[in-house]
Amino acid sequence: MWASTRASRVPGSVFALMDAAKERARSRGLSIVDLSIGSSDQTPPDAALEALRAATRDPGTYRYPLFSDTRPLREAAAAYLHRRFGVGVDADAEVLPLIGAQEGLAHLLLAVTDPGDTLLLPDPCYPPYLGTAAVAGLQVVTLPLLAERGFLPDLGAVPQDLKPRALLLNYPNNPTSAVADAAFFPGAAAWCRARGTLLIHDHPYAELTFGGYRAPSALEAGLEGVVELHSLSKTHHMGGFRVGFAAGDRQALAALARVKGAVDFHPYLGIQQAAAVALGLPDEVGRAGAQVFQQRRDALVPALHALGWEAALPQASMYVWARVPGLTNSVAYAVRAAETTGVALSPGRAFGERGEGFVRFALVQPPEVLAEAVRRLAGVPVQEPEQLLAP
Ligand SMILES: Cc1ncc(COP(=O)(O)O)c(C=O)c1O
């Protein structure tokens, strides 16, 4: 009775189903190997934790933080963007602290769109994109991300007369782990500018890159008409701290600040201080953290190939996206796998129609645990019982 039309439009999550399946496995005495959630198991940098500890001892940090209090974090974010991507931003007008990228996106959509506007977003995609689009009352048009195009969208295939209000992209990508090269964002930004579309780039995996690959920033294509969302959740293992920042087009950020001003205050000052310290750490600190995920990738991908599954070796992110031969119902498969083996994966369908036939592994366990997970999965039938019975 009290659910608004807006709330009712938010799609349900298959993660509740997975949670119930894990619970059933537990009640059968199975140990759970949870690879279904991309929550880093690493600890934040010591220097960031020390800054937070020191802040909690300072009663001056306990008040509501005002915009002027966010200056040190805004300046740290601007310095990070300059050091890492060669992008210059005005720390007063072109950077805004967030309570995580997800909060930032939800409020950004409310700030820059009107109900009924069109949002172009990838399929598959991070599921909350669909929820936040529903909250904002947007018409979603999906861009297929296909293996044969390296899971990059084909903007040239979008009908000429479609002029979306915003295009939402995310590279390194969740769930596919695909990456963009240096030419990608300038091309996407030019496409957006020609159509009067705001380019929103969700960039929480910016530093989780492997080998020689470096993830570009969409802001390298210029700030006008581009907003990028950064997060310390993955890059600095601070997911529970809820902190990130938006940077880019000053009009869009002013609108975001206005909406946020009505809805929330900024993060606790101690968390801002910890985030500012983390952003200022030498790049090697982030690279050492990324290597942990790289080693896990190197353990998992060959084991999946031995099962006959198709998975590219990701150059970034904390996921492996695997196509499972014969898989037609990834949700039923993931529930079955969790119930019978205790191994929890994300079904590809949870990320959109184009995700069917795939599963996503989050690299949040050590290599030997990933190897054990694959051993357990080897015994789980991929096909549905009725398919197995078919002549
Ligand atoms: C693509 C993407 N965007 C945003 C988030 C959430 O980021 P935050 O913790 O900063 O809200 C995630 C978390 O998994 C993600 O994969």
Side-chain angles (χ1 to χ4, degrees):
M1 175 185 176
W2 292 115
S4 65
T5 311
R6 180 186 306 114
S8 314
R9 276 200 223 109
V10 174
S13 156
V14 298
F15 294 97
L17 271 183
M18 290 304 297
D19 205 33
K22 281 183 263 179
E23 198 47 45
R24 284 194 289 279
R26 246 181 241 114
S27 66
R28 296 178 54 217
L30 290 167
S31 63
I32 305 297
V33 179
D34 196 347
L35 307 176
S36 66
I37 299 176
S39 185
S40 176
D41 60 328
Q42 305 296 296
T43 47
D46 286 342
L49 291 177
E50 202 32 66
L52 177 58
R53 284 189 199 105
T56 61
R57 289 191 288 269
D58 173 5
T61 63
Y62 301 166
R63 66 179 188 279
Y64 285 124
L66 302 175
F67 180 73
S68 55
D69 293 318
T70 69
R71 168 167 284 284
L73 177 53
R74 285 185 278 118
E75 284 178 347
Y80 163 79
L81 291 174
H82 191 257
R83 185 184 84 235
R84 181 58 184 73
F85 305 105
V87 169
V89 296
D90 174 348
D92 281 329
E94 292 165 344
V95 182
L96 195 65
L98 301 176
I99 307 174
Q102 191 162 318
E103 171 273 318
L105 176 64
H107 287 141
L108 180 64
L109 292 182
L110 290 176
V112 299
T113 67
D114 287 305
D117 281 351
T118 301
L119 174 68
L120 199 50
L121 53 73
D123 176 8
C125 71
Y126 179 53
Y129 292 174
L130 294 165
T132 51
V135 170
L138 303 178
Q139 299 289 337
V140 167
V141 175
T142 53
L143 274 173
L145 301 187
L146 305 176
E148 50 271 31
R149 292 188 55 87
F151 298 109
L152 291 162
D154 184 2
L155 291 172
V158 177
Q160 285 296 334
D161 55 350
L162 186 73
K163 309 236 183 294
R165 179 71 174 165
L167 163 65
L168 173 54
L169 295 173
N170 153 235
Y171 291 98
N173 183 256
N174 179 10
T176 68
S177 292
V179 296
D181 64 17
F184 176 74
F185 288 113
W191 186 94
C192 284
R193 288 179 186 129
R195 299 207 185 195
T197 299
L198 180 71
L199 172 58
I200 304 173
H201 182 224
D202 187 20
H203 207 8
Y205 302 98
E207 303 304 329
L208 289 191
T209 60
F210 312 141
Y213 177 72
R214 296 284 177 279
S217 161
L219 302 174
E220 291 167 37
L223 304 190
E224 208 184 309
V226 180
V227 174
E228 189 161 79
L229 305 171
H230 285 259
S231 166
L232 283 92
S233 296
K234 322 285 180 178
T235 56
H236 298 85
H237 319 292
M238 290 167 68
F241 289 59
R242 312 308 304 129
V243 62
F245 64 91
D249 187 284
R250 53 178 67 211
Q251 284 181 12
L253 288 198
L256 175 58
R258 211 175 157 92
V259 168
K260 277 173 65 65
V263 184
D264 67 56
F265 277 91
H266 305 288
Y268 165 55
L269 274 174
I271 289 179
Q272 291 190 41
Q273 289 168 11
V277 166
L279 288 170
L281 290 171
D283 292 347
E284 293 71 54
V285 177
R287 304 214 57 69
Q291 267 171 19
V292 172
F293 294 101
Q294 185 174 350
Q295 283 160 5
R296 295 170 178 184
R297 168 202 81 167
D298 292 343
L300 180 64
V301 171
L304 295 178
H305 290 168
L307 278 187
W309 293 14
E310 293 166 34
L313 202 63
Q315 288 178 270
S317 88
M318 56 197 289
Y319 306 107
V320 169
W321 182 240
R323 192 202 296 270
V324 185
L327 182 64
T328 54
N329 186 341
S330 57
V331 174
Y333 169 76
V335 167
R336 188 159 62 238
E339 273 175 4
T340 58
T341 71
V343 177
L345 304 171
S346 297
R349 183 66 182 82
F351 302 94
E353 277 174 33
R354 302 274 175 178
E356 190 50 280
F358 290 82
V359 292
R360 190 199 73 176
F361 292 78
L363 298 169
V364 293
Q365 297 282 343
E368 59 282 7
V369 178
L370 295 172
E372 164 63 15
V374 176
R375 272 194 294 277
R376 292 194 204 175
L377 289 172
V380 182
V382 163
Q383 291 182 312
E384 296 311 297
E386 62 277 10
Q387 287 174 303
L388 293 171
L389 289 175

